[in-house]
Amino acid sequence: MQDIPRSETISTKQQRIATLAQEAPGRAFTSLNHYLDLEWLHEAYRRTRKDGAAGVDGMTAEVYAEHLETNLRNLLDRAKSGRYRAPAVRRVHIPKGDGRKTRPIGIPAFEDKVLQRAVAMILEPIYEQDFLDCSYGFRPRRSAHQALDALRKQHDRLGCRWVLEVDIKGFFDTLVKAHLREFLRRRVQDGVLLRLIGKWLNAGVLDRGELSFPEAGTPQGGVISPLLANIYLHEVLDVWFEREVKPRLSGPAYIVRYADDFVVGLANRDDARRVLAVLPKRFGKYGLTLHPEKTRLVPFHRPPGRPGFPGSRRFQPPGTFDLLGFTHYWAKARKGIWVIKRKTAKDRFTRAIKRITEWCRSHRHWSLTEQHQALCRKLRGHFAYFGITGNAWSLRRFQHEVMWIWRKWLGRRSHRNFMKQERFFQILERFPLPPPIAVHSTLRPEAKP
């Protein structure tokens, strides 16, 4: 099977959709499905990950590609005629940071992923004209690191002293489908696309062999789910905060959101308390609930003076909060000024170490070369996300922990269940682990993982 070449006409068509959406912000598109043709599906197939787990039908990307042209033509015909039936989503449970609870993830069938990608490619140019700058999750040319940088810059520039750390309880499982359909119809009234989205929202969920049909929510893991989540929270949170909340505040404020994770920064304590009081009511109106223990108001202001300054003890020290896997806190920079720094959050660090431990235990009989290559990939992947300026200590600690976990399980390959330190250092000379590196360094932006 030859690689599918990228179609230049697809980006041209998407630009045309974006231009129309930008020129008419209140326009509802009634005819969009004509973009959904065989060429469009080919591009959707090209953009779909081929190494993901199979859905309920067991169909893999390799098998689907054996008769790709026939399969895509058949898929297009069923989608346009209304004969397409969304298969059930296979649900798996992955552990959360505490190791006790799990997060449900939906795995659609491969063909479903392709069609969802195709529909998302049509909707994305429209909603990219509507989405606000405060939203960073699952959007083109936007990333979690950009969200982190925006938070740091806005908090300091606006002089904010308080942060609302907010946690939406089971967002993807409690999202109200009726509200989502209402939000969609404000911009999209194409019957074919709305029918397809409706089928995905109503698709069954196969969980541990039991088939159910949830009344609310959209499964995490679906290709189109992040876009639908952004549409939902754009209306429920972003627009509401920008147009209704901020004009009523006595001081400056900002919001940074990545999918369903967000924080609110405010300069005035009374404003912060008012927003904290009204947020549960706003979310409750749309079927969402804030986690009472994980939603909190945090004093997060620049510490007064220098460390040891005589009058500084009279002030309440700033707290810390977590966002996108990082704990944010105030600390001194090398120049002696107070800056906002980030370090790997405790739960994310613990989760990563636990995964390394389980991998080393189950793969301890692999050859040293194979283990070394896999561990290098895992370390580079960790550094690629957590390698930011100011997080050097956490990166070094992670590498150190991985090194000694590897030593422990290499020692378990023999009956002695132990490996001497000298022997392990000899192995490290032959198979060195990658050093901690700040991939996203503000001092060295050209750094590569």
Side-chain angles (χ1 to χ4, degrees), residues 320-339:
T320 65
F321 66 93
D322 290 353
L323 179 68
L324 298 176
F326 291 93
T327 297
H328 296 66
Y329 64 100
W330 283 96
K332 278 186 65 181
R334 291 182 179 179
K335 295 182 179 180
I337 61 174
W338 290 105
V339 295

Side-chain angles (χ1 to χ4, degrees), residues 138-397:
F138 305 104
R139 293 181 58 187
R141 296 173 296 279
R142 289 188 163 226
S143 68
H145 295 97
Q146 290 176 330
L148 294 169
D149 289 341
L151 186 153
R152 176 176 56 83
K153 293 176 182 177
Q154 290 187 85
H155 195 90
D156 204 26
R157 178 175 58 85
L158 297 176
C160 293
R161 300 176 58 84
W162 300 87
V163 166
L164 277 176
E165 184 182 7
V166 185
D167 183 272
I168 305 176
K169 194 173 182 179
F171 170 72
F172 284 91
D173 291 328
T174 56
L175 176 153
V176 179
K177 299 175 184 179
H179 290 313
L180 177 58
R181 292 190 181 95
E182 176 191 345
F183 298 151
L184 281 168
R185 290 192 185 98
R186 295 177 185 178
R187 278 302 239 167
V188 178
Q189 295 183 4
D190 183 285
V192 172
L193 299 188
L194 291 178
R195 183 168 61 241
L196 287 172
I197 294 174
K199 290 181 178 181
W200 289 320
L201 291 176
N202 293 326
V205 175
L206 187 64
D207 190 351
R208 298 185 177 96
E210 295 185 4
L211 182 64
S212 61
F213 296 88
E215 296 182 359
T218 176
Q220 282 182 274
V223 174
I224 202 170
S225 292
L227 177 58
L228 297 180
N230 273 335
I231 294 172
Y232 201 86
L233 288 176
H234 169 74
E235 298 289 346
V236 174
L237 176 64
D238 301 350
V239 174
W240 168 75
F241 186 81
E242 187 68 27
R243 298 179 183 175
E244 298 186 31
V245 176
K246 287 178 69 174
R248 292 178 169 85
L249 300 178
S250 59
Y254 69 88
I255 184 171
V256 172
R257 181 176 66 81
Y258 191 94
D260 60 327
D261 293 329
F262 72 96
V263 296
V264 181
L266 304 105
N268 186 285
R269 182 174 61 178
D270 291 336
D271 287 343
R273 290 174 173 174
R274 289 165 56 200
V275 174
L276 179 60
V278 77
L279 268 178
K281 301 175 184 177
R282 174 66 181 181
F283 279 85
K285 180 180 178 181
Y286 294 94
L288 303 176
T289 305
L290 300 186
H291 199 294
E293 297 177 359
K294 297 180 180 180
T295 299
R296 61 196 184 104
L297 180 60
V298 181
F300 197 73
H301 51 81
R302 182 189 301 273
R306 299 178 179 271
F309 180 70
S312 62
R313 296 181 181 178
R314 297 178 310 203
F315 296 89
Q316 180 183 12
T320 65
F321 66 93
D322 290 353
L323 179 68
L324 298 176
F326 291 93
T327 297
H328 296 66
Y329 64 100
W330 283 96
K332 278 186 65 181
R334 291 182 179 179
K335 295 182 179 180
I337 61 174
W338 290 105
V339 295
I340 298 174
K341 289 192 174 184
R342 288 80 52 92
K343 62 182 178 181
T344 308
K346 182 179 179 181
D347 62 334
R348 294 291 290 271
F349 189 94
T350 302
R351 187 194 314 173
I353 290 297
K354 182 178 179 181
R355 288 176 178 172
I356 293 290
T357 302
E358 292 175 349
W359 188 92
C360 287
R361 177 181 59 81
S362 59
H363 295 83
R364 64 185 181 275
H365 295 296
W366 280 18
S367 69
L368 283 175
T369 300
E370 292 175 319
Q371 291 190 48
H372 175 253
Q373 291 174 348
L375 286 175
C376 285
R377 288 195 297 269
K378 294 178 184 298
L379 278 167
R380 292 192 183 103
H382 186 87
F383 299 154
Y385 184 77
F386 291 102
I388 65 173
T389 301
N391 196 30
W393 185 86
S394 294
L395 299 182
R396 288 194 297 268
R397 182 186 167 206

